[in-house]
């Protein structure tokens, strides 16, 4: 307790420097939190999107850079249907229709009779019957304050909102749904083309085995059974993941160098003090523990501020309709522990050298230091 | 070692590759409970001798025994500094960010015991030295004499066998200097602590039971 009090007093003796160091590290931690939560939010959102309702996996075109570019034909879907173990195939057209500042508002094309299979249910109003009608998702209704009876303008066309649906899939609930024919028109598809299809297999079978069989029958198709497969279909998520890691690592490296600089300065300024501590009998390891202790207190302070800052930024981000429609943000302890661990490790690494230097001071030399 | 607490044999300390001979063959013997003053002109080696005795530095050659241990070869000098000697510097060397009480506790970090027991002991020492009322004050808000008294309390923290003062009155006025020497002499007299004081001031040196005079790194009188 006395030792901790000393550590805290040492830090508060140089308030401005300590606060600036904490701010520097906390920005790094906030970066990890923000990118981690956004990346996880996207992953959560995508992982449910590709296995909605009773679907076991999604089938799309292989070798596309982005899932929005996926186009499969009804003949290909027939091949899927004919694959052993496949029970049902639900065609889906994914169309993007900019809406109220959200360029990624999804207008999904799906046969009204297939909604059940995708786990979607109408919570208000009714299902659409033609291409002039849409059902909007629960999240979109809430975000844009829309209700049954309203009109929504997408791609310069008025659509009557006839129902509100809920599927439990953030991406779908954040958008709207209409007929396949209407979305085919919007995407300039022929009536033979759809974006992808959700596949339901016979009970007791392994989705991976059936997916492999589908891919074997048509190598131009890719089955998304899990998020690893999604990486092959859409590199966006893996790019976001990589970039977020790169930025986080960079932020922490800069933070670590900042800590090293701060502690080195602090150690040299306190050379005489350290000499006094050694002169009154402090062991080298206690001097080292004091310096490392100061670093740990800095990292814990930075972790608290960084986590709060990160959560604040994510909260602000989640006030935008686009984020609400696309991100399924969850509080996962893993991200916070990761941020805390990175902060402590980086700060300790940064403090290790100056702490070692301080512990090697000879009391006589340190006492002579001016 | 008989009754000696400190003995040196042909103690030498050279600096700058032997060009400066701070100690050049010093032999002294100090008994337990003795009060010794070391005098001599500036640069004669007084402080260097004190640094050797207090385990702050190692000699170039020779032996320095403290309570039977040869400090020239003893590995754990920090143990010696922590448990056997209390050092009072000319400049108090208190940590400015800490209160008087916390400064006195500093050497106790290396000994076992509860925080409350250490605090109680530090308060007691401050009371003993007559600065109990300064326990919560920082050194920057004290006079030179008060700071030096707190430094004495810190030197006593771990019940040392020997108290070493390197010009302990050198940075305070005459009145405060006399008060500080009164405290140190009282500790020597009543607690039997061996006291070794390096000083320029002959009126302070004359209070000691024995005076060691140095010149050019050698003992000229003891």
């Amino acid at each position: 307790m006395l030792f901790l009090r000393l550590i805290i007093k040492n830090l508060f003796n140089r308030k401005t420097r300590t606060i600036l160091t904490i701010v520097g590290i906390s920005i790094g931690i906030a970066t990890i939190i923000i990118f981690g939560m956004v990346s996880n939010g996207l992953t959560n959102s995508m992982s449910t999107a590709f296995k909605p309702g009773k679907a076991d996996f999604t089938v799309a075109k292989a070798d596309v850079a982005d899932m929005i570019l996926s186009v499969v034909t009804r003949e290909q879907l027939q091949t899927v249907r004919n694959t052993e173990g496949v029970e049902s195939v639900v065609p889906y057209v994914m169309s993007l229709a900019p809406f109220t500042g959200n360029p990624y508002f999804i207008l999904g094309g799906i046969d009204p009779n297939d909604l059940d299979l995708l786990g979607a249910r109408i919570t208000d109003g009714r299902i659409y019957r033609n291409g002039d009608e849409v059902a909007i998702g629960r999240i979109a209704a809430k975000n844009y304050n829309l209700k049954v009876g309203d009109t929504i303008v997408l791609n310069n066309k008025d659509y009557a909102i006839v129902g509100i649906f809920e599927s439990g899939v953030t991406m779908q609930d954040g958008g709207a749904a209409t007929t396949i024919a209407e979305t085919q028109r919007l995407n300039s598809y022929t009536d033979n083309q759809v974006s992808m299809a959700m596949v339901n297999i016979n009970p007791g079978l392994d989705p991976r085995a059936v997916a492999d069989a589908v891919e074997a029958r048509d190598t131009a198709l890719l089955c998304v059974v899990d998020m690893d497969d999604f990486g092959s279909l859409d590199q966006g998520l893996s790019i976001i993941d990589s970039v977020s890691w790169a930025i986080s690592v960079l932020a922490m490296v800069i933070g670590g160098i900042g800590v090293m600089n701060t502690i080195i300065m602090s150690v040299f300024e306190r050379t005489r003090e350290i000499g006094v501590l050694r002169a009154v009998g402090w062991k080298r390891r206690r001097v080292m523990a004091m310096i490392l202790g100061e670093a740990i207190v800095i990292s814990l302070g930075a972790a608290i501020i960084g986590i709060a800052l990160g959560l604040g930024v994510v909260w602000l981000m989640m006030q935008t309709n686009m984020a609400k429609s696309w991100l399924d943000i969850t509080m996962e302890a893993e991200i916070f522990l990761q941020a805390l661990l990175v902060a402590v490790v980086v700060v300790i690494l940064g403090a290790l050298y100056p702490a070692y230097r301080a512990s090697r001071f000879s009391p006589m030399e340190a006492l002579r230091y001016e | 070692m008989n009754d000696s607490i400190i003995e040196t044999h042909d103690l030498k300390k050279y600096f700058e590759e032997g060009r400066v001979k701070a100690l050049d063959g010093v032999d002294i013997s100090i008994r337990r409970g003795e009060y010794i003053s070391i005098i001599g002109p500036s640069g004669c080696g007084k402080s260097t001798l004190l640094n050797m005795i207090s385990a702050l530095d190692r000699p170039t050659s020779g032996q320095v025994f403290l309570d039977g241990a040869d400090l020239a070869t003893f590995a754990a000098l920090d143990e010696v500094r922590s448990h056997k000697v209390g050092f009072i510097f000319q400049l108090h060397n208190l940590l400015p960010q800490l209160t008087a009480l916390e400064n006195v506790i500093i050497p106790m970090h290396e000994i076992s015991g509860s925080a409350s027991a250490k605090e109680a002991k530090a308060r007691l020492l401050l009371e003993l030295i007559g600065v109990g009322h300064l326990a919560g004050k920082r050194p920057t808000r004290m006079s030179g004499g008060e700071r030096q008294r707190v430094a004495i309390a810190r030197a006593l923290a771990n019940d040392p066998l020997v108290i070493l003062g390197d010009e302990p009155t050198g940075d305070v006025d005459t009145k405060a200097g006399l008060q500080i020497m009164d405290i140190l002499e009282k500790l020597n007299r009543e607690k039997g602590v061996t006291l070794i004081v390096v000083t320029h001031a002959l009126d302070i040196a004359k209070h000691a039971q024995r005076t060691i005079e140095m010149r050019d790194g050698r003992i000229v009188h003891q």
Side-chain angles (χ1 to χ4, degrees), chain A residues 1-3 5-6 9-10 13 272-273 276-284 286 363-364 367-368, chain B residues 51 56-57 78-79 81-82 89 93 95-99 102 105-107 109-110 115 118-119 154:
Chain A
M1 200 59 202
L2 294 170
F3 192 54
R5 199 194 300 169
L6 171 67
K9 285 211 167 188
N10 284 345
N13 197 36
R272 196 179 169 84
E273 272 184 40
V276 172
L277 295 174
R278 297 277 290 128
V280 300
W282 272 36
K283 293 186 170 66
R284 291 183 195 282
R286 185 166 298 276
M364 274 319 300
L367 284 168
R368 281 195 209 110
Chain B
N51 292 338
L56 280 173
D57 207 353
D78 39 23
E79 289 275 352
R81 293 195 295 269
S82 172
F89 304 90
N93 275 334
L95 304 194
Q97 68 271 33
L98 304 184
T99 63
E102 289 163 342
I105 290 171
I106 280 287
H109 282 276
E110 287 296 348
K118 288 175 183 176
E119 276 200 27
R154 181 181 64 187

Side-chain angles (χ1 to χ4, degrees), chain B residues 69-90:
Chain B
D70 184 1
L71 304 184
T73 53
F74 196 73
L77 288 187
D78 39 23
E79 289 275 352
V80 175
R81 293 195 295 269
S82 172
H83 293 87
K84 297 198 172 177
V85 301
F87 204 99
I88 304 162
F89 304 90
Q90 180 176 358

Side-chain angles (χ1 to χ4, degrees), chain B residues 9-45:
Chain B
H9 300 298
D10 196 24
L11 192 63
K12 291 177 181 171
K13 180 67 179 178
Y14 297 164
F15 294 105
E16 296 178 20
E17 295 170 346
R19 289 193 294 277
V20 178
K21 295 178 176 177
L23 296 178
D24 196 15
V26 170
D27 292 280
I28 57 166
S29 175
I30 298 170
R31 294 188 305 277
R32 276 175 209 278
E34 209 174 2
Y35 171 12
I36 298 284
S37 63
I38 303 175
I39 61 168
S42 292
C44 70

Side-chain angles (χ1 to χ4, degrees), chain A residues 166-221:
Chain A
E166 182 172 8
S167 66
V169 177
T170 306
M171 280 168 60
Q172 287 180 359
D173 289 349
T178 187
T179 60
I180 286 184
E182 177 61 10
T183 47
Q184 282 172 328
R185 184 189 68 79
L186 288 171
N187 280 11
S188 304
Y189 288 177
T190 65
D191 61 359
N192 193 38
Q193 293 173 314
V194 294
S195 304
M196 56 195 79
M198 281 69 174
V199 179
N200 179 227
I201 62 172
N202 292 323
L205 294 180
D206 174 21
R208 171 62 61 197
V210 178
D212 287 347
V214 168
E215 287 174 354
R217 294 186 69 154
D218 186 343
T219 53
L221 292 176

Side-chain angles (χ1 to χ4, degrees), chain B:
Chain B
M1 290 295 122
N2 51 58
D3 199 28
S4 293
I5 191 160
I6 295 162
E7 275 191 23
T8 68
H9 300 298
D10 196 24
L11 192 63
K12 291 177 181 171
K13 180 67 179 178
Y14 297 164
F15 294 105
E16 296 178 20
E17 295 170 346
R19 289 193 294 277
V20 178
K21 295 178 176 177
L23 296 178
D24 196 15
V26 170
D27 292 280
I28 57 166
S29 175
I30 298 170
R31 294 188 305 277
R32 276 175 209 278
E34 209 174 2
Y35 171 12
I36 298 284
S37 63
I38 303 175
I39 61 168
S42 292
C44 70
K46 307 184 296 286
S47 294
T48 307
L49 177 59
L50 213 59
N51 292 338
M52 300 297 141
I53 296 170
S54 60
L56 280 173
D57 207 353
R58 288 189 195 271
T60 306
S61 67
Q63 291 172 304
V64 52
F65 290 95
L66 175 67
D67 198 29
D70 184 1
L71 304 184
T73 53
F74 196 73
L77 288 187
D78 39 23
E79 289 275 352
V80 175
R81 293 195 295 269
S82 172
H83 293 87
K84 297 198 172 177
V85 301
F87 204 99
I88 304 162
F89 304 90
Q90 180 176 358
L91 286 167
H92 54 87
N93 275 334
L94 298 174
L95 304 194
Q97 68 271 33
L98 304 184
T99 63
L101 186 76
E102 289 163 342
N103 267 290
V104 177
I105 290 171
I106 280 287
M108 298 186 202
H109 282 276
E110 287 296 348
I111 58 166
S112 56
S114 68
S116 57
K118 288 175 183 176
E119 276 200 27
K121 186 178 180 187
R123 279 185 198 284
L124 206 67
L125 287 170
L126 288 170
E127 293 289 346
L128 180 75
I129 307 300
V131 284
H133 61 290
L134 299 176
K137 266 193 176 179
R138 290 184 179 201
T140 46
R141 303 180 66 132
M142 297 176 198
S143 69
E146 287 172 334
R147 286 178 201 150
Q148 204 59 314
R149 285 176 182 220
V150 175
I152 293 172
R154 181 181 64 187
L156 293 171
N158 291 345
D159 305 315
L161 300 171
V162 184
I163 290 184
L164 302 122
D166 189 0
E167 305 269 9
T169 60
D171 199 43
V172 296
D173 59 40
T174 311
K175 191 181 166 196
L178 289 171
Q179 286 172 342
I180 285 162
M181 287 317 298
D182 280 347
I183 292 167
L184 291 174
E185 285 168 30
K186 196 174 163 194
L187 286 167
N188 167 254
R189 207 168 46 243
E190 295 179 3
K191 291 190 174 288
V193 179
T194 308
L195 180 61
I196 304 168
V197 176
V198 162
T199 183
H200 273 105
L202 290 176
D203 53 336
I204 284 177
K206 71 183 179 193
H207 287 270
Q209 294 160 0
R210 189 155 60 100
T211 297
I212 295 173
E213 191 179 347
M214 292 185 70
R215 201 175 297 270
D216 299 328
R218 293 171 177 272
I219 305 291
V220 292
H221 171 78
Q222 63 174 317

